[in-house]
């Protein structure tokens, strides 16, 4: 069975500008919706995290208001409970890219804490980009792109069109004035061509083999684009 790699945050908090630690992790829908799409299409999902730690779900992503009501919340929680790979991740250092048909980074605020500065993840992103295999990243997952720098210090994704969680969305979520830095702003500073859509509306951008989504609602359409590329 062909495999798709989910690279996920190992962080259970996000350090804010005042030094406080906001509980977080990965966003439920951003793992659950692509997992369902990929496994239904016959792919095995393998989860990798820094150090092989079991990823933490952001509890707020399981709330009814984050899932269109209680029924949606129950469904996403049941999906996560069914994903055995989430409980048995491999360490990022042990990943062999050649084993995977595609690579996917879900979001949540967790990647802002760890993957944004993780050199191993950065090298994996560069290798995946240059391999031509589908590389998909959603919401706050593009924070990981900040660690993908070449030997000359340039970002490997500079000039690529990318969708990512926007400053407007961070403001509406209530975190823009609390964050040490904002994802959209930092990506622009790195030379990435951020294609910002309307807040909370699905927005998927495809640039060569890179497929990116702006927010949780973009997760399912992003997965569909990955499957289209995999043929």
């Amino acid at each position: 069975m062909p495999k798709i790699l989910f690279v996920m945050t190992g962080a259970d908090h996000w350090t804010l500008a005042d030094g406080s630690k906001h509980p977080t992790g990965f966003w439920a829908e951003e793992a659950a919706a692509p997992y369902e799409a990929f496994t239904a299409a016959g792919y095995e999902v393998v989860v990798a995290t820094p150090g092989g730690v079991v990823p933490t779900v952001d509890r707020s992503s399981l709330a009814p208001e984050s899932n269109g009501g209680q029924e949606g919340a129950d469904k996403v929680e049941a999906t996560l409970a069914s994903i055995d790979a989430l409980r048995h991740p491999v360490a990022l250092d042990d990943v062999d890219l050649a084993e995977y048909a595609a690579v996917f980074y879900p979001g949540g605020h967790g990647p802002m804490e760890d993957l944004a500065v993780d050199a191993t993840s950065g090298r994996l992103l560069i290798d995946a980009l240059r391999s031509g295999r589908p590389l998909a990243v959603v919401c706050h997952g593009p924070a990981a792109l900040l660690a993908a720098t070449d030997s000359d210090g340039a970002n490997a994704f500079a000039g690529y069109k990318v969708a990512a969680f926007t400053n407007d969305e961070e403001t509406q979520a209530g975190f823009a004035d609390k964050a040490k830095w904002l994802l959209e702003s930092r990506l622009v500073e790195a030379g990435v061509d951020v294609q910002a859509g309307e807040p909370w509306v699905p927005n998927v951008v495809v640039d060569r083999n890179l497929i990116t989504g702006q927010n949780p609602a973009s997760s399912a359409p992003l997965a569909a684009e990955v499957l289209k590329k995999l043929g």
Side-chain angles (χ1 to χ4, degrees):
M1 185 183 292
K3 296 188 288 189
I4 293 178
L5 180 70
F6 277 34
V7 179
M8 301 181 66
T9 178
D12 61 5
H13 69 273
W14 176 34
T15 305
L16 301 177
D18 65 1
S20 64
K21 294 182 177 180
H22 173 70
T24 188
F26 70 90
W27 198 259
E29 180 182 0
E30 295 167 24
Y35 175 85
E36 288 185 315
F38 296 151
T39 54
Y43 291 87
E44 176 189 353
V45 167
V46 175
V47 172
T49 62
V53 303
V54 174
T56 298
V57 65
D58 187 316
R59 300 305 302 178
S60 61
S61 71
L62 298 174
E65 54 268 29
S66 298
N67 294 283
Q70 189 61 54
E71 186 178 343
D74 291 344
K75 182 176 182 292
V76 77
E77 191 153 14
T79 299
L80 293 184
S82 75
I83 304 177
D84 195 52
L86 281 174
R87 292 178 286 280
H88 301 95
V90 300
L92 262 181
D93 283 329
D94 295 333
V95 167
D96 179 1
L97 183 62
E99 295 179 5
Y100 301 95
V103 177
F104 170 56
Y105 278 66
H109 279 111
M112 302 274 282
E113 185 75 19
D114 61 354
L115 297 180
V117 292
D118 190 292
T120 302
S121 171
R123 286 193 299 274
L124 177 65
L125 282 164
I126 293 172
D127 290 345
L129 185 69
R130 293 177 179 164
S131 74
R133 58 174 44 77
L135 170 60
V137 195
V138 72
C139 201
H140 286 91
L145 307 186
L146 299 171
T149 51
D150 289 316
S151 55
D152 61 359
N155 192 284
F157 292 86
Y160 275 80
K161 290 180 170 63
V162 167
F165 201 71
T166 64
N167 293 353
D168 282 348
E169 285 167 321
E170 204 71 85
T171 299
Q172 292 179 25
F175 287 108
D177 60 347
K178 301 174 184 175
K180 287 183 178 179
W181 49 273
L182 297 177
L183 178 57
E184 180 185 351
S185 297
R186 190 64 68 85
L187 288 169
V188 170
E189 289 168 12
V192 177
D193 184 1
V194 177
Q195 306 283 298
E198 290 297 313
W200 314 112
V201 176
N203 177 31
V204 175
V205 173
V206 180
D207 188 345
R208 288 156 278 186
N209 61 314
L210 178 65
I211 307 141
T212 50
Q214 179 172 316
N215 43 38
S218 305
S219 303
L222 174 139
E225 287 293 338
V226 172
L227 291 172
K228 198 182 298 181
K229 281 198 175 290
L230 287 169

